[in-house]
Amino acid sequence: AMVRACVMQCLVLLAPLIDREEDAPTSLGAAALLLMLQNPCCILGWGTQLSFSSMAGIILLAEKLQRKMIGSRKAWPQRPKLLFYCWRTIASSFSATLSATLVSLPLMMLYFGMFSLVSPVTNVLTGWAVTWTFRFSLLTGIVGTYLPGAGHLLGWVLAWGVRYISAVAELLAGLPFAALYTDSAYVIIWVMACYSI
């Protein structure tokens, strides 16, 4: 997943430099090609399949779902801008998670025999924390290399973000019906019915 993300990001940044438009499907295909040139069997791994199917779902569906959820700014005339921006952030996280899940769900059922029902809510509650924790960890690593005392202090602050993410994940995972298991034929029939609708 990390190599796929890095290749896609490099191509996004490179596109304007060589006077080309950014194209997410092309970036995804290039990442797959580079990975398979190095190791053709990598496509057989469940991690690679889930990474690429999730990204394909986000590319295909996320923007459309987000537009449906948000509507236009003109539809929010009497409401404060802050409310609109908060809702846009929630809609963005929710639509990305739902899009990734819709495409990768059959693979999750095949490989793990279950799928999470709370993942969209989990991502809405923790997505911002994951982003800032990741960014802050980079800063902490750089500072800690040269100033160990300051790095230790930043690490202590960073740990609270990690604790928050873990606490939310544990809390939501403990809810009834947080996940559905495919050992029941009824679950499989329900999923097939949802896909057909």
Side-chain angles (χ1 to χ4, degrees), residues 174-185:
L175 293 175
F177 302 109
L180 287 181
Y181 296 87
T182 57
D183 53 358
S184 167

Side-chain angles (χ1 to χ4, degrees), residues 24-102:
T26 301
S27 299
L28 186 64
L33 179 63
L34 285 174
L35 282 170
M36 287 191 291
L37 283 173
Q38 181 189 9
N39 177 11
C41 294
C42 74
I43 201 67
L44 300 175
W46 59 264
T48 304
Q49 292 175 13
L50 285 172
S51 174
F52 278 89
S53 63
S54 297
M55 196 65 223
I58 291 169
I59 291 169
L60 290 170
L61 303 170
E63 191 177 337
K64 295 171 188 172
L65 285 172
Q66 184 178 346
R67 278 200 307 263
K68 291 275 187 192
M69 289 179 71
I70 296 173
S72 69
R73 178 69 182 102
K74 294 174 185 174
W76 296 63
Q78 305 300 325
R79 295 179 179 88
K81 283 185 179 180
L82 181 61
L83 183 62
F84 172 76
Y85 293 125
C86 288
W87 175 243
R88 187 174 68 179
T89 302
I90 292 169
S92 175
S93 177
F94 187 82
S95 61
T97 304
L98 192 58
S99 301
T101 302
L102 285 172

Side-chain angles (χ1 to χ4, degrees), residues 114-120 122 169-181:
M114 55 84 68
F115 58 94
S116 171
L117 293 177
V118 297
S119 59
T122 307
E170 285 181 28
L171 177 69
L172 293 179
L175 293 175
F177 302 109
L180 287 181
Y181 296 87

Side-chain angles (χ1 to χ4, degrees), residues 140 142-157:
T140 302
I142 293 169
V143 171
T145 301
Y146 300 103
L147 301 167
H152 180 76
L153 180 62
L154 289 173
W156 180 82
V157 174

Side-chain angles (χ1 to χ4, degrees), residues 128-178:
W128 63 272
V130 170
T131 301
W132 283 104
T133 301
F134 183 77
R135 289 176 182 167
F136 204 59
S137 66
L138 182 61
L139 174 66
T140 302
I142 293 169
V143 171
T145 301
Y146 300 103
L147 301 167
H152 180 76
L153 180 62
L154 289 173
W156 180 82
V157 174
L158 180 68
W160 286 103
V162 176
R163 287 186 188 107
Y164 168 76
I165 295 164
S166 297
V168 170
E170 285 181 28
L171 177 69
L172 293 179
L175 293 175
F177 302 109

Side-chain angles (χ1 to χ4, degrees), residues 17-28:
L17 296 177
I18 57 173
D19 201 27
R20 293 285 186 269
E21 289 184 14
E22 171 197 342
D23 184 61
T26 301
S27 299
L28 186 64

